[in-house]
Every structure is written in C-alpha cells, then in structure tokens.
Amino acid sequence: MHIFNSRKFFTCSSLRPDVNSPNIQPAFKYATIKLIKSQASCACEVKGHGVERQMLLTAVYKQRRILRLGKLLTVIGAGVAIALVSGFVWVTRSPIDLGQAGKAARADWTRAWQAGEVVALVRHAERCDRSDHLCLGPEDGITQVGNDSAVRVGKGFTSLGMQQAQVFTSPLTRTVQTARAMFGQDATAQPWLESCGSSLRNEVVAHKVAQRNLVLVTHSGCISDFEKQTGFPHAIAADYGSTLFVRIDAKGQLEVLGILNAEAWSRLNSD
C-alpha cells in the first residue's frame, strides 16, 4: 500500500499539490489538476469582483464630489443673496436724501410744509470745541464757519415761509447760537431737546400744533434717537446743519419725509 508523503505533495511556497511528484497516484493526480484549475477560476472571479468594487468606489467618489460641489454652489448662492440683501439694507438704512431726490419728493415735502404738517429737526452748526476754525464766541458754542452755514440754512427755511412756524431749541450754547443765526432771533429753549432719549418721539408729537410747522434745533444724538423710534435704527449720524423732515398730520400720524444736508439748501434755492 502506497503511503502519501505530504511533504512532497505540497510545495513550500504555495501549499499547492505537486502534480509532478512520483509519489502521487494517477487518479489523485487528475483530481489535483482539477482543483488547481478551479482555484485559478476562483482567482479570476475574485479579480473580477475587485475590478467591479473599484468601479463602484469610483462612481461613489464621483457622486460625492458632485454633491459637495452642489453644496458649495448653494452656500455661494446664499452668500450672494445675503450680500445683496445686506447691500439693500445698507443703502436704505437712512431716510432719503431730499437733496438728491426727484421733483415729486420735493413737491410732496413742500406741500406738507404749506399745510403746516412738518416738523424739522435741525442739527446745530459746527462745534467750536471740535474744530480748528475760529469760534463765534464761547468754546461750547459754534464756529464762525458754522454760523455762516446756519445763516444759509435759515434762508432756505425763510424761502419756504415761516409765518406758520414755531422754533424751539435745546438750552445749550451751540443750539441757541445756531437758531439765532438761522432766524435772526432767539428761540424758545426746551430741555427735552437736550435730554432726548426714548421719549423724544412722543415729545415731538405732543408739541406739534395743528397747521403749524415746528422747527427743532437740537443735537445729532437726539436726531438718532428720533430715527430709531421711527423705523431707522441704523441711520447715519446727522451732519452739522442737516435737517430731518417729518410729516405729522391732523390725526397724529407720523411719516419721515427725508433728510436735507446744509449745503443742499443752496441748490434748492437756485432751482
């Protein structure tokens, strides 16, 4: 009886049967060859599965890239939309500039003045203590340059007509001097035009007399307070001598008409 020698039957490198070994029987040799062919076929199948797996991974990777690109485009689109909205808000965050507005806006403002429905909040002229220009008087007052600018603003109001208008000012020197330069006389001082704060809107409405315009010479902080209370919380700070125009009708309904800078009065008067 032939004894099978396992050490000669398998090679050390592959652990496959050595079909050329003289110790292997013919029948077993045939079976061994079939086994080797079967293993080769399995190896081909495994290789085939590996190719398919690689193709699948490639497709998944491409799909993920497309999804990431889509997300990136979405983020960029959202950023552009936010920038456009922010730009729009930035442009419209302050009342309209009446000096640059069309004739329709100016005509509306003029009609409201003629009807005695306007409140005009005027910022005082250039401060002496914050300028190198020659002071008009005390250091807490205005400069000579500011006084000249206030005179031009006053001429603009006079051209509109001051017959049905009241003029109030804060008690501080710079507003008193500004009002005097504008209208050639002292105005009535009102402490609430200095303190301002959250009650300013109500104070303005309470002091508005029907069919009489109201000119209030005050401060940039007060004008900012008023704008916050009337729908413009991020408005640009008022320049020296600029005027915020507001309409208050007989029912007490308030509408911000726009703002007019000091130098714009000259252009309006020449039109």
Side-chain angles (χ1 to χ4, degrees):
M1 181 176 180
H2 181 76
I3 300 174
F4 177 67
N5 189 339
S6 61
R7 291 186 179 180
K8 293 182 178 180
F9 181 61
F10 293 102
T11 63
C12 296
S13 59
S14 64
L15 295 180
R16 288 182 176 178
D18 185 359
V19 296
N20 297 315
S21 173
N23 298 322
I24 194 168
Q25 296 296 326
F28 193 78
K29 181 177 181 179
Y30 175 74
T32 303
I33 291 173
K34 285 192 66 178
L35 177 62
I36 292 173
K37 288 182 178 180
S38 176
Q39 290 177 341
S41 176
C42 289
C44 290
E45 290 181 4
V46 170
K47 184 176 180 180
H49 286 307
V51 172
E52 291 179 1
R53 183 173 182 275
Q54 183 62 37
M55 292 177 64
L56 179 61
L57 290 175
T58 302
V60 170
Y61 176 72
K62 288 182 179 180
Q63 186 176 14
R64 287 179 177 176
R65 287 186 62 187
I66 293 172
L67 289 174
R68 284 198 296 268
L69 180 60
K71 290 180 179 179
L72 178 61
L73 292 176
T74 301
V75 171
I76 293 174
V80 171
I82 291 172
L84 291 174
V85 172
S86 300
F88 177 77
V89 172
W90 181 268
V91 170
T92 60
R93 67 176 186 163
S94 293
I96 65 170
D97 184 349
L98 293 172
Q100 303 296 327
K103 292 183 178 180
R106 296 181 189 178
D108 185 42
W109 159 47
T110 303
R111 283 194 300 269
W113 182 271
Q114 292 171 348
E117 297 177 341
V118 173
V119 176
L121 291 87
V122 184
R123 186 189 177 187
H124 61 76
E126 183 183 57
R127 291 178 58 158
C128 174
D129 59 354
R130 296 185 181 178
S131 173
D132 294 330
H133 294 142
L134 182 66
C135 295
L136 182 65
E139 289 188 0
D140 62 342
I142 64 176
T143 64
Q144 184 62 57
V145 171
N147 184 78
D148 295 342
S149 176
V151 169
R152 291 191 292 271
V153 173
K155 287 181 179 179
F157 276 101
T158 301
S159 67
L160 290 174
M162 292 295 295
Q163 296 81 3
Q164 51 180 9
Q166 291 179 296
V167 182
F168 293 159
T169 181
S170 93
L172 300 187
T173 303
R174 55 184 176 271
T175 52
V176 171
Q177 288 180 335
T178 300
R180 187 184 301 133
M182 289 173 63
F183 303 113
Q185 59 185 2
D186 291 335
T188 303
Q190 297 284 343
W192 55 271
L193 285 173
E194 177 190 357
S195 57
C196 304
S198 59
S199 63
L200 181 59
R201 183 187 185 281
N202 293 337
E203 290 282 4
V204 170
V205 174
H207 285 83
K208 172 69 174 67
V209 178
Q211 299 180 353
R212 287 184 65 82
N213 298 312
L214 182 59
V215 179
L216 306 174
V217 184
T218 184
H219 308 269
S220 61
C222 295
I223 295 174
S224 294
D225 287 343
F226 187 85
E227 287 172 325
K228 289 175 184 177
Q229 296 160 30
T230 54
F232 297 92
H234 305 294
I236 299 172
D239 293 330
Y240 288 130
S242 62
T243 305
L244 178 67
F245 287 95
V246 179
R247 173 194 282 129
I248 301 178
D249 62 21
K251 296 181 180 180
Q253 297 298 313
L254 187 150
E255 176 191 2
V256 176
L257 298 174
I259 196 162
L260 188 67
N261 291 325
E263 62 272 11
W265 284 102
S266 299
R267 296 196 301 271
L268 292 179
N269 292 335
S270 62
D271 288 347

